[in-house]
Amino acid sequence: MHNASHILQLVRDFLLGLPKRIISKEFLIFLFFLALSAIFWLLMSLNGTYEKEYPVALRLTGVPRNAVITGPLEDTVYVTIRDKGFQLLAYSTSKSIQPVSVPFSAYAQKDTGHGNVPIGDIKASIYLQLFKSSKITQFKPGKLDFYFNFGLSKVVPVRMAGTVVPGESYYLSKVEFWPEKVTVYANRHLLDKVHSVSTENLYITNFSDTLYRMVSLKSIR
């Protein structure tokens, strides 16, 4: 109300500051009906049905201290909501959608080291925050899961992937890595299959001197 009074005062001061020959009864009536029509147009627009996408944060909670998250859960999902413009405007302003908590214990399968979070459960948590008239029409991503273990690890060597070809009359004498080995965390079944970790594909050709490159390791799901 204070802001509205301040705006009215500014408009009044502006009109009073105009030359009196400009201000007339007809001009004030015109301004009144112009403002009135703008308000009616806004009300009609907001009364229509629309769709809008909103980000919703996810929080994996209750993770045990001895658990290592090797494949994290998505930290944000995107929901498209259909409703009247008034309600959608509320979600964008005062009624913002709060983060959704995902309890670790409810979805973690300790024997496989994998947790699968049903999309329906996240939708149900979001619906609790929405107006009854709102409907979720789209949800992204289409799958939510995470991987973890309880400290099982294995040290394996690093191997290069890609093509490295020196220039004519030169040869590649050796390739060294710093570090030479890395620690992989996974469940026992997966650790038995991992014997080395490769770099992202590296393509270098026609070189004639020692090269140093910062490279990433190829991710393992």
Side-chain angles (χ1 to χ4, degrees), residues 47-164:
N47 197 44
T49 300
Y50 303 94
E51 290 188 356
K52 183 175 174 56
E53 184 179 79
Y54 297 90
V56 181
L58 294 183
R59 300 288 184 266
L60 186 62
T61 59
V63 179
R65 290 187 176 183
N66 62 336
V68 179
I69 303 298
T70 57
L73 181 71
E74 294 281 350
D75 60 1
T76 306
V77 295
Y78 296 88
V79 292
T80 300
I81 301 175
R82 176 186 295 167
D83 207 337
K84 299 289 187 180
F86 289 105
Q87 279 79 355
L88 297 183
L89 182 61
Y91 295 138
S92 301
T93 54
S94 59
K95 187 179 172 60
S96 58
I97 303 176
Q98 299 300 311
V100 173
S101 296
V102 180
F104 177 88
S105 59
Y107 304 102
Q109 301 175 15
K110 296 182 179 180
D111 54 336
T112 62
H114 177 233
N116 181 48
V117 184
I119 300 299
D121 291 1
I122 304 300
K123 283 186 177 181
S125 297
I126 295 175
Y127 267 120
L128 292 176
Q129 303 186 51
L130 303 181
F131 295 108
K132 292 184 178 180
S133 57
S134 298
K135 181 178 180 181
I136 296 176
T137 60
Q138 191 173 3
F139 189 99
K140 295 185 293 187
K143 183 179 181 182
L144 294 172
D145 57 0
F146 58 93
Y147 290 85
F148 65 95
N149 72 11
F150 292 101
L152 293 177
S153 63
K154 181 179 182 180
V155 178
V156 296
V158 178
R159 296 286 182 261
M160 185 182 68
T163 302
V164 178

Side-chain angles (χ1 to χ4, degrees), residues 110-113 147-149 152-154 184-195 220-221:
K110 296 182 179 180
D111 54 336
T112 62
Y147 290 85
F148 65 95
N149 72 11
L152 293 177
S153 63
K154 181 179 182 180
V184 177
Y185 291 87
N187 61 52
R188 190 173 302 281
H189 175 69
L190 291 176
L191 286 178
D192 291 339
K193 297 181 179 180
V194 179
H195 304 290
I220 303 173
R221 185 169 180 80

Side-chain angles (χ1 to χ4, degrees), residues 23-31:
I23 303 176
S24 63
K25 184 178 179 180
E26 291 78 10
F27 178 69
L28 293 177
I29 294 174
F30 167 77
L31 288 180

Side-chain angles (χ1 to χ4, degrees), residues 1-30:
M1 290 297 294
H2 175 73
N3 291 335
S5 300
H6 181 64
I7 293 173
L8 290 174
Q9 183 64 37
L10 290 176
V11 173
R12 179 175 176 276
D13 293 343
F14 170 75
L15 294 176
L16 291 177
L18 292 175
K20 291 187 176 180
R21 65 177 181 274
I22 297 179
I23 303 176
S24 63
K25 184 178 179 180
E26 291 78 10
F27 178 69
L28 293 177
I29 294 174
F30 167 77

